[in-house]
Amino acid sequence: MSYAFVINSGSSSIKFQIVDPAADASEAPLVSGVVEQIGEPNGRLTVHYQGEKHSEQRPIADHTAGLHTAIKRLEALGCGPSDLHLVAVGHRVVHGGLVFSQPEVINDQVVDMIRDQIPLAPLHNPANIDGIEVARELLPDIPHVAVFDTGFFAHLPPAAAIYAINKDVAGDHQVRRYGFHGTSHEFVSAQAAAMLDLPDAAVNQITLHLGNGASAAAIRGGEPVDTSMGMTPLAGLVMGTRTGDIDPGVIFHLYRHAGMSIDEIDQLLNKKSGVKGLAGVNDFRELRAMIQEEDQDAWLAYNIYIHQLRRFLGSYMISVGRVDAITFTAGVGENDRFVRADALANLEMYGVKIDPERNALPNDGPREISADDSQIKVFVIPTNEELAIAQKSVALVADHR
Ligand code: ADP
């Protein structure tokens, strides 16, 4: 059997999976694991293989040490690169800028071109590049592929992609909407079309990726026509720790009057805002527990989250025109029935009606949660970005042979 090694390299962690690209979306991967707290004294490797969890704790100096430790552990378990037929290493890369709209087989020039996009994604692309460089060194005989989070949205209509900002400045600095979570929106929208038993091109839909990061996409006939994240993943919906859309004037105000540097404001808006900034927690399970204890901050944070989500839903229903399906995915979207129910409450006049019993079922694979008489189908579809990356990587490598 052929496998793909999928790597999602962050600034202090490397998540990895070994995936059979032909697997069913709901199947667990052969191997999944994560190296965490890279560069910290309490580094940790966790590997899941054959239903068992293997962990080790020790300082992990950098990404090279992290991936090296992981591969050594996989070899010891008998599921390492030399034990399996690995046909591709697929890397999640956050920002492809204007250069990459499709997955790309990685060579030195491609790495340089991904590096050129760092100004657009200073928080993400450097860590993605670290992962690529280390993995190419450790697994030199396997083709590596970059799959871009922005790729699915590369051809947004200009009216949705271009900001009303001075066009010379925007042009000089590649300022525009790129959109993110593209692999996830593409994956679940294809599944939604399959659940409707229709080709992608025949379906108009809205996909809501609600994880710690969150984004919405409007997709008409298989083509994205709008999405909520922008030049960076900071825009759009309220998220776990990010503001989502705010008046950009807030930034000038904080810079001029709160004595904050640009880097501090960047940290504030990306890491200390959103639900966490409002309620002190960013996990929706904790938020729900606080709401049940009548914590007012938690209740307000939740309402702000839902308010913003409904604003996007409403505008995307107009953008798409006739809507066939609305799909929830990612940690919150797949698991939090309150969010789903409140996001779509009182929309019967727009053809949306959730069935409360279906909505209350546990997260167990793709499912419909709309009532039989809902004109618009509402689905919960677990996302599987690693499988999507594996499939894209293996397909591209096969094309290149
Ligand atoms: P990311 O990939 O952006 O880190 P995920 O898609 O894994 O995020 O989503 C993580 C979030 O999902 C958690 O922060 C938590 O808010 C939410 N979540 C996970 N499980 C549940 C659950 N059972 N009920 C409600 N929310 C959940």
Side-chain angles (χ1 to χ4, degrees), residues 8 15 92 181 209-214 240 242 282-288 329-339 363 383 385-386:
N8 181 356
K15 292 185 194 146
R92 179 183 184 208
H181 292 146
H209 176 111
L210 309 178
N212 203 18
R242 298 186 197 128
N282 60 316
D283 190 305
F284 273 64
R285 288 162 286 198
E286 292 175 61
L287 191 72
R288 178 58 43 194
T329 193
V332 177
E334 291 167 29
N335 293 295
D336 196 320
R337 68 181 196 275
F338 300 100
V339 166
N363 186 24
T383 193
E385 288 160 289
E386 292 80 9

Side-chain angles (χ1 to χ4, degrees), residues 14 35 38 58-70 134 138:
I14 304 171
V35 186
I38 295 175
R58 59 153 116 163
I60 294 170
D62 52 22
H63 284 69
T64 306
L67 198 60
H68 195 258
T69 308
V134 170
L138 293 178

Side-chain angles (χ1 to χ4, degrees), residues 271-284:
K271 302 258 159 93
K272 299 181 193 166
S273 295
V275 173
K276 180 160 190 142
L278 292 163
V281 299
N282 60 316
D283 190 305
F284 273 64

Side-chain angles (χ1 to χ4, degrees), residues 243-257:
T243 53
D245 285 355
I246 54 165
D247 175 355
V250 170
I251 296 164
F252 313 133
H253 176 77
L254 293 176
Y255 179 71
R256 292 187 185 123
H257 301 290

